[in-house]
Amino acid sequence: MSLDRFAIIESTLREGEQFANAFFSSDQKVEIARLLDAFGVEYIELTSPAASPQSRADLERIAGLGLKTKILTHVRCHMDDAKLAIDTGADGIDVVFGTSSYLREFSHGKDIPYIIDSARQVIEFIKSQGLEVRFSSEDSFRSDLVDLLTIYRAVDKIGVNRVGIADTVGVANPRQVYDLVKTLRGIVHCDIEFHGHNDTGCAVANAFCALEAGATHVDTSVLGIGERNGITSLGGLVARMYAHDPAAVRAKYNLPLLREIDNYVASLVDVDVPFNNYITGFTAFTHKAGIHAKAILNNPSTYEILDPADFGLSRYIHVAHRLTGWNAIKERAEQLQLNLSDDVVKHVTAQIKSLADQKRITLDDVDFLLREYHSALVDTAVIEEMERVGA
Ligand code: HCA
Ligand code: CU
């Protein structure tokens, strides 16, 4: 079942390069590739060597690093591009053709027999050179289903290693993805890859449904960067797969590296990691309401599906606000090593809530009140003790 044996094709260095703010120097590309390799992604996809001389040089450099991850490059289904890609040291070549009626009418103007002919020539050539080859149809969800299946059946017979389905415009929903992949699974023997854009917010769910239906490979990019608002993000897919099987995902990937990877790419493309980003967003493990905080303190699984410790992160219980509860405040007092009875903590909590009703308060305000009460109690205890011994 694919949910248990999926592979990530990490495309930050291809789809991600198509993000509006992306400009990666050669050294930065190497650093991204090394980080992704250390994280454990199975493949890294790089921009076509036909794109520019530097793209070709960078591909050769990264293919020569001897990384564990396999190196792919992404080219048009054209012999000129395939020939250029063969000698770069890449392990495999992802070829892509536009099959939708839009692309056939407004872009390249080719018919289905022509597409199959070109695919045959390119696939046979790449295989004859001993490289892995994938054939994908751009804009698969707006392609005619009969056309699409005719093409995939043909390339499978030719011996392609993998066929790719691309939701190029982010139009597909999870059920459509499931249906298409399921149908395809019944038709081809080769592996199936899914590439999904996020225009309508379905990229992670679509990738998961593709795997449920029998896909074997998913394309991702760090933070989801790519054309327009991008594709399935690496962290999003990892979070989803972790929710499905934490032990398997922990065994497969070096999860604590994710934060460094997200931060590094965010800095290179000049964006902040979004506050609500999967796993690494700054509120991803922050708990606020008193009721949540109480339950989390008893057992984190009550309100957490991902264990932050597996990602080298910690949870944060936000106590300085009017929704706070006395259990959370008590925990804070203990962190400050202030020994206060439950009754006193409840009293301080009421004080905090009334202060927080008047203004935005900070943790310093909470700590100040806790310390004040504590020292007042200590003072009282000292006076009582002095009176008792008659001093
Ligand atoms: C592109 C289009 C692509 C290709 C995906 C694929 C898409 O920018 O070349 O090769 O499977 O979204 O269709 O990224
Ligand atoms: Cu794309």
Side-chain angles (χ1 to χ4, degrees), residues 16-303:
E17 257 211 304
Q18 297 173 220
F19 174 56
N21 274 8
F23 170 79
F24 303 131
S25 71
S26 188
D27 288 347
Q28 289 166 345
K29 287 188 191 177
V30 167
E31 184 59 16
I32 292 174
R34 285 196 190 284
L35 282 167
L36 291 170
D37 181 54
F39 182 77
V41 299
E42 289 79 0
Y43 294 84
I44 294 177
E45 186 182 66
L46 280 91
T47 297
S48 167
S52 73
Q54 192 59 48
S55 301
R56 179 184 178 160
D58 293 343
L59 171 60
E60 286 171 356
R61 184 174 169 198
I62 289 172
L65 292 176
L67 301 178
K68 272 200 308 305
T69 178
K70 285 192 182 174
I71 304 300
L72 302 171
T73 186
H74 183 263
V75 304
R76 291 170 304 173
C77 186
H78 198 289
M79 280 303 279
D80 294 348
D81 286 13
K83 282 184 182 148
L84 205 56
I86 282 294
D87 296 322
T88 56
D91 300 291
I93 303 181
D94 286 346
V95 303
V96 62
F97 213 120
T99 51
S100 79
S101 49
Y102 291 95
L103 292 167
R104 282 164 52 203
E105 188 177 344
F106 301 113
S107 178
H108 51 67
K110 310 290 196 238
D111 62 14
I112 301 299
Y114 180 93
I115 295 175
I116 294 178
D117 258 12
S118 332
R120 176 185 309 281
Q121 210 192 353
V122 169
I123 292 167
E124 283 176 351
F125 169 67
I126 296 172
K127 288 201 63 162
S128 75
Q129 304 296 304
L131 269 66
E132 189 174 314
V133 56
R134 179 219 67 176
F135 178 91
S136 147
S137 65
E138 211 183 339
D139 211 354
S140 313
F141 290 86
R142 296 191 303 171
S143 302
D144 179 82
L145 185 61
V146 175
D147 288 352
L148 207 58
L149 298 179
T150 309
I151 296 170
Y152 285 134
R153 194 181 274 119
V155 294
D156 186 40
K157 281 223 183 77
I158 297 166
V160 79
N161 298 89
R162 206 163 58 247
V163 288
I165 289 185
D167 181 16
T168 306
V169 297
V171 65
N173 67 42
R175 207 181 304 176
Q176 289 170 320
V177 172
Y178 187 90
D179 287 350
L180 181 55
V181 175
K182 193 82 185 165
T183 306
L184 190 57
R185 187 66 289 168
I187 286 177
V188 298
H189 297 96
C190 62
D191 285 342
I192 300 176
E193 171 178 339
F194 176 77
H195 175 99
H197 279 261
N198 200 34
D199 300 70
T200 62
C202 292
V204 173
N206 284 348
F208 185 76
C209 275
L211 292 175
E212 274 190 309
T216 48
H217 295 63
V218 169
D219 291 10
T220 66
S221 70
V222 177
L223 299 173
I225 60 170
E227 288 284 350
R228 308 183 307 284
N229 81 332
I231 62 166
T232 308
S233 80
L234 175 64
L237 183 74
V238 164
R240 181 84 280 284
M241 299 316 293
Y242 177 106
H244 172 71
D245 187 347
V249 171
R250 272 195 300 264
K252 224 161 137 61
Y253 302 113
N254 182 356
L255 301 179
L257 259 188
L258 188 62
R259 181 148 81 159
E260 184 181 342
I261 294 172
D262 279 356
N263 286 344
Y264 181 58
V265 171
S267 73
L268 294 184
V269 299
D270 208 17
V271 299
D272 290 329
V273 173
F275 73 91
N276 59 350
N277 196 46
Y278 315 96
I279 302 161
T280 60
F282 92 93
T283 61
F285 297 107
T286 297
H287 304 276
K288 183 168 173 185
I291 278 186
H292 286 231
K294 178 185 175 190
I296 281 281
L297 289 167
N298 286 331
N299 178 357
S301 301
T302 47
Y303 285 105

